[in-house]
Amino acid sequence: METANTQRSLIVGFELGVATTQISVSVNGGDPESVSVSPGKNMFLIPTALCVRSDTRDWLFGDEAIRNKNRDAGQFVENLISYVENDEVISIFGTDYDGNALIEKFIRKAFTALRQRYLQDRIEMIVITVRNKTDKLVEAVENAFAAIGYDMSAIKILSYMEAFMYYSVSQRKELWANDVALFDFDEKGLKYYQLSTSKKQLPVTVTASGSDLSDELSYDMLYAMVDSRVAGILKGITDRLLHRQILSTIYFTGAGFDGDWANEVIKSLCPGRRVFKGQNLYAKGAAYYGLICNNEAYKDFLFLTDNQVRYSVSVRMFKDNRIGEFPIVNAGTDWRKVNARTVGILDDTDEVFFTLFHTVRKETKHVIMSLRNIEQRENKTTRVHVSARFIDRDTLVLTIKDLGFGEFFSNSYRVWEKVITF
């Protein structure tokens, strides 16, 4: 039996949204639960906003910031993420603050309030989820937690799509036996995500793709049109996207689905499927990632989003005193960050063999690069530099450079390149 002084282990899921932020916490490996650190009319939705009081110059966040704004008692700041993405600066009582500083102020206030709820407990991991995981926003969030003093090895940042994937596979298996759909409607308009799982052979691949439907259904339409017309637009979208789809579950999330206007459309999708509407999917999905990443039950799972490479790449060469297959690209890597490099020796050949394995299709492809007109040297006296990069998610560029062999054979500076689309 736990005593009041027993230190518990926490995993925190933190959804940093454009308009609102949510926090979920897993205690001692249990299912994540939404928590409130800024009581207001919707206690789990924290306005992503700051306010500096006119009298004391104290920084306030969330609902307290909104209340001071309404009383005209300070300088109010919202849309914090836009300050980061647009490199904007705001002057607050004579001092300039950029987006990084604003994000740090907000995260610091939120986590100070969170720690007050869990004074005796230990945070093992903090998983932040944002809609678009841009380099600028990732850097701002990482800098904020570093400035606060958190161990950066315990910080992970996910996109909403990734959080959706981890949330989905953490539910009962019958809820993701077939594809899973998610409609997300917030201030930026309607988004659609779909998740598929391949269990035929290992690794179990979980793939998700997304579509921006804000041109068809925007947030402004909720105020410019009667409910029945907006519902009609949504019905047309769901009919088109879900036609002949075999789905186990459909989720609806986002402030745009508040109220009753979409209920009849949602109800019409229920036959043969489970349908859920709620606001905490991403925050809980972030916390579920923390539970999954070190869970042996998921060691053979591979999670793939739109930007992640679908296949692994290895090269056969003489290296480290042996001939073998050496991996150079791992499936699941963001294609924009692949910059694989290795060096090996040609062993009685002027060809280099590559093996590509598509983890979703479970297909293997062999590629041979012929090094035409390479200088003829004694066996095992030609070193080559092999590199791999992507120009989009499905287009691989392999490059081989002749390095010569130290003082014995000079570098010929010859380069061979091959473009492969799986």
Side-chain angles (χ1 to χ4, degrees):
M1 180 177 178
E2 290 187 355
T3 65
N5 294 323
T6 300
Q7 187 181 59
R8 300 175 300 178
S9 172
L10 308 180
I11 294 174
V12 178
F14 188 82
E15 179 201 345
L16 180 62
V18 172
T20 59
T21 289
Q22 295 189 68
I23 301 175
S24 69
V25 175
S26 166
V27 178
N28 289 338
D31 284 337
E33 296 292 341
S34 297
V35 299
S36 171
V37 297
S38 177
K41 63 179 181 179
N42 191 332
M43 60 188 302
F44 298 124
L45 291 176
I46 307 162
T48 309
L50 295 163
C51 187
V52 181
R53 288 183 54 162
S54 302
D55 51 358
T56 63
R57 299 297 196 265
D58 287 340
W59 286 82
L60 309 173
F61 85 110
D63 284 297
E64 196 173 6
I66 297 289
R67 286 193 291 271
N68 272 264
K69 172 197 174 187
N70 293 338
R71 294 199 300 263
D72 197 23
Q75 188 164 344
F76 181 74
V77 190
E78 57 185 343
N79 298 322
L80 308 184
I81 291 175
S82 70
Y83 284 90
V84 174
E85 299 294 4
N86 300 322
D87 297 318
E88 295 178 2
V89 174
I90 185 172
S91 179
I92 302 177
F93 296 118
T95 301
D96 289 342
Y97 296 90
D98 64 8
N100 284 13
L102 296 173
I103 291 293
E104 179 192 327
K105 294 286 187 184
F106 182 81
I107 290 176
R108 185 184 295 272
K109 298 296 290 186
F111 272 82
T112 297
L114 181 67
R115 291 301 300 163
Q116 290 174 353
R117 287 180 57 99
Y118 299 97
L119 286 174
Q120 303 301 320
D121 301 318
R122 181 180 67 257
I123 295 179
E124 299 286 352
M125 182 179 291
I126 300 171
V127 186
I128 304 95
T129 183
V130 294
R131 180 169 297 285
N132 298 310
K133 201 168 63 173
T134 64
D135 290 341
K136 287 182 179 179
L137 186 54
V138 168
E139 182 180 8
V141 171
E142 289 178 341
N143 288 344
F145 280 101
I148 296 170
Y150 280 96
D151 178 0
M152 295 309 294
S153 66
I155 304 298
K156 176 70 177 179
I157 303 176
L158 307 179
S159 67
Y160 278 3
M161 187 184 294
E162 290 172 308
F164 162 54
M165 297 169 76
Y166 290 104
Y167 180 91
S168 295
V169 302
S170 299
Q171 307 307 303
R172 300 189 309 276
K173 287 188 177 180
E174 61 265 27
L175 295 181
W176 49 281
N178 299 307
D179 282 12
V180 179
L182 169 64
F183 291 91
D184 177 346
F185 189 20
D186 68 1
E187 292 80 2
K188 297 296 184 180
L190 184 66
K191 308 290 189 300
Y192 175 74
Y193 303 123
Q194 186 162 331
L195 175 147
S196 302
T197 306
S198 173
K199 311 181 187 73
K200 294 180 180 179
Q201 66 184 79
L202 298 180
V204 176
T205 54
V206 184
T207 59
S209 58
S211 303
D212 185 346
L213 305 172
S214 57
D215 287 344
E216 298 182 56
L217 185 55
S218 69
Y219 203 72
D220 291 341
M221 291 180 182
L222 292 175
Y223 303 97
M225 299 178 182
V226 296
D227 287 355
S228 59
R229 187 175 175 190
V230 183
I233 295 172
L234 177 64
K235 184 68 165 60
I237 292 171
T238 58
D239 286 349
R240 183 184 79 245
L241 292 176
L242 307 183
H243 180 61
R244 293 187 176 180
Q245 294 271 16
I246 301 175
L247 299 169
S248 295
T249 307
I250 305 173
Y251 296 102
F252 289 82
T253 193
F257 289 120
D258 283 349
D260 300 329
W261 70 268
N263 287 356
E264 288 302 314
V265 178
I266 294 172
K267 185 178 178 181
S268 71
L269 300 173
C270 289
R273 310 178 179 112
R274 299 296 301 274
V275 181
F276 301 92
K277 186 175 82 166
Q279 298 289 359
N280 55 10
L281 184 149
Y282 297 130
K284 285 191 173 184
Y288 275 122
Y289 168 85
L291 295 172
I292 284 175
C293 64
N294 294 318
N295 188 332
E296 279 294 305
Y298 292 90
K299 65 182 178 64
D300 293 319
F301 279 63
L302 179 63
F303 295 86
L304 301 171
T305 62
D306 281 340
N307 294 321
Q308 291 171 309
V309 175
R310 265 48 179 167
Y311 48 89
S312 58
V313 181
S314 62
V315 57
R316 183 172 179 79
M317 58 172 35
F318 185 84
K319 182 178 177 180
D320 301 332
N321 294 317
R322 66 182 179 90
I323 294 178
E325 293 275 345
F326 295 91
I328 56 174
V329 176
N330 293 320
T333 308
D334 189 318
W335 70 265
R336 295 163 297 191
K337 298 181 179 179
V338 172
N339 188 20
R341 303 165 185 267
T342 191
V343 174
I345 296 175
L346 298 182
D347 185 14
D348 197 26
T349 184
D350 59 0
E351 297 177 326
V352 178
F353 296 81
F354 296 88
T355 300
L356 287 65
F357 176 68
H358 200 293
T359 57
V360 179
R361 301 177 194 161
K362 312 302 183 189
E363 295 174 358
T364 300
K365 182 175 185 177
H366 299 287
V367 174
I368 300 175
M369 284 186 67
S370 177
L371 309 185
R372 295 179 181 177
N373 301 319
I374 191 168
E375 290 191 5
Q376 298 302 308
R377 304 173 181 132
E378 296 179 24
N379 191 35
K380 295 183 181 178
T381 59
T382 296
R383 295 170 66 246
V384 292
H385 178 276
V386 179
S387 62
R389 61 185 175 85
F390 285 79
I391 55 178
D392 60 41
R393 192 194 71 185
D394 299 309
T395 307
L396 170 68
V397 180
L398 296 171
T399 304
I400 299 176
K401 298 178 182 179
D402 176 16
L403 298 180
F405 201 77
E407 298 177 356
F408 300 99
F409 297 101
S410 61
N411 185 342
S412 70
Y413 297 100
R414 288 180 177 165
V415 178
W416 298 263
E417 195 165 85
K418 193 176 187 70
V419 178
I420 302 163
T421 299
F422 203 109

